[in-house]
Amino acid sequence: MQEQYFQAVTISQESEYVPGDKLNPKHYANIPIERLVKPGDKQCSVCLDKFKKGEEVKMLPCHHMFHDGCIRPWFSSNTKCPNCRFDLNEHFESR
């Protein structure tokens, strides 16, 4: 299921960024990737798959985590975390 979604929706980090309702690709690149040691019962709220031990996830500044391939398409048309509406463009621009 997850692989089909990844193939269907992609964004190019090489395209020129135009401010608006999408996350600046430079900001996306600053979101750390973490390897899960103890995923517990947590799941990606985009694909709803449970995280697995050793899996790499994008950890947003608001501490919500997602599979990279799941959250990348979201940020092609949004600037906020889908769980809590934390605005990542505002966060990274204020630093």
Side-chain angles (χ1 to χ4, degrees), residues 7-90:
Q7 293 171 357
V9 184
T10 60
I11 64 170
S12 172
Q13 287 187 347
E14 298 173 7
S15 63
E16 184 177 327
Y17 172 68
V18 178
D21 290 334
K22 68 178 183 178
L23 186 63
N24 184 326
K26 291 179 183 176
H27 296 166
Y28 187 81
N30 288 326
I31 300 171
I33 295 176
E34 296 189 10
R35 186 172 304 275
L36 293 176
V37 176
K38 295 181 181 180
D41 290 335
K42 295 183 180 184
Q43 66 184 26
C44 175
S45 60
V46 176
C47 71
L48 303 178
D49 287 346
K50 286 189 175 184
F51 294 119
K52 298 175 183 120
K53 183 178 180 180
E55 191 168 30
E56 291 185 345
V57 297
K58 280 284 199 177
M59 178 67 76
L60 304 186
C62 57
H63 302 287
H64 289 114
M65 62 180 117
F66 304 90
H67 296 113
D68 179 49
C70 293
I71 199 64
R72 182 184 297 267
W74 170 264
F75 284 129
S76 69
S77 61
N78 295 278
T79 65
K80 299 177 181 175
C81 171
N83 289 353
C84 68
R85 312 305 292 159
F86 180 87
D87 193 306
L88 275 76
N89 273 346
E90 285 182 13

